[in-house]
């Protein structure tokens, strides 16, 4: 049992430190002053950290925004950026192991596949929001809502 609003704020304090590039703002959308939920805060932090770490690699101006909201009987979390975006031909494979969009960017290509595995263990759906029309990318995971008694 956690206060998701407070936990999210704490996670964002750590994530904001990862955004070092001048001209890139870290933004958070925490819509609730308090929000009782039952979920694994460590796994939540892993997912958000992997998403933000990827966004940092590809975003050189604009912003990286993380947020959440209650939706369709669950909690939907997202990380959007104004970075390079993902070419249409690569979108279906971004959650596979060792997939890198750019060989000149640091990393092994495991972050998003790890996100998929963690989300699956939590009963969550994780996906690239291909309907999102902003610049850059928007990654989403949705966890079934479990309210404490």
């Amino acid at each position: 049992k956690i206060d998701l609003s407070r936990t999210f704020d704490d996670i964002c304090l750590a994530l904001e430190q990862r955004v070092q590039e001048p001209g890139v703002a870290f933004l958070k959308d925490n819509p609730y002053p308090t929000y009782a939920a039952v979920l694994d805060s460590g796994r939540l932090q892993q997912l958000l950290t992997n998403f933000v770490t990827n966004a940092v690699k590809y975003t050189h101006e604009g912003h990286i925004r993380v947020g959440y909201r209650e939706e369709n009987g669950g909690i939907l979390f997202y990380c959007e950026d104004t970075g390079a975006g993902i070419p249409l031909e690569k979108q279906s494979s971004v959650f596979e192991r060792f997939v890198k969009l750019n060989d000149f960017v640091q990393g092994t290509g495991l972050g998003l596949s790890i996100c998929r595995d963690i989300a699956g263990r939590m009963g969550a759906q994780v996906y690239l929001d291909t309907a999102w029309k902003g610049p850059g990318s928007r990654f989403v995971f949705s966890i079934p809502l479990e309210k404490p008694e």
Side-chain angles (χ1 to χ4, degrees):
K1 297 178 186 177
I2 65 168
D3 178 347
L4 178 57
S5 179
R6 186 176 187 174
T7 300
F8 183 77
D9 281 343
D10 291 345
I11 291 169
C12 286
L13 276 176
L15 294 176
E16 186 171 16
Q17 304 308 308
R18 293 177 175 271
V19 182
Q20 303 277 319
E21 182 113 15
V24 177
F26 179 82
L27 308 172
K28 72 172 178 170
D29 294 335
N30 188 345
Y32 309 106
T34 185
Y35 193 96
V38 177
L39 59 93
D40 185 334
S41 60
R43 296 294 186 203
L44 174 61
Q45 183 165 5
Q46 269 187 298
L47 285 166
L48 289 173
T49 298
N50 282 356
F51 284 157
V52 169
T53 299
N54 269 3
V56 164
K57 291 176 187 177
Y58 294 99
T59 306
H60 304 293
E61 61 181 18
H63 70 265
I64 296 170
R65 178 189 312 269
V66 293
Y68 72 98
R69 67 178 176 271
E70 193 172 320
E71 185 175 283
N72 298 326
I75 306 169
L76 181 134
F77 293 89
Y78 57 89
C79 177
E80 63 186 43
D81 63 63
T82 56
I86 299 171
L88 187 60
E89 67 275 5
K90 299 267 189 175
Q91 290 180 359
S92 63
S93 64
V94 293
F95 288 99
E96 294 175 15
R97 292 186 180 276
F98 307 113
V99 169
K100 292 181 66 173
L101 300 179
N102 181 336
D103 289 332
F104 299 105
V105 172
Q106 183 178 351
T108 59
L110 288 172
L112 292 175
S113 69
I114 290 169
C115 286
R116 182 194 59 209
D117 294 346
I118 291 169
R121 289 189 191 113
M122 295 174 73
Q125 302 262 343
V126 62
Y127 56 94
L128 170 64
D129 185 350
T130 56
W132 189 64
K133 298 299 180 202
S137 303
R138 184 173 196 254
F139 286 88
V140 176
F141 62 98
S142 181
I143 300 172
L145 181 59
E146 189 175 339
K147 290 271 195 169
E149 295 180 16

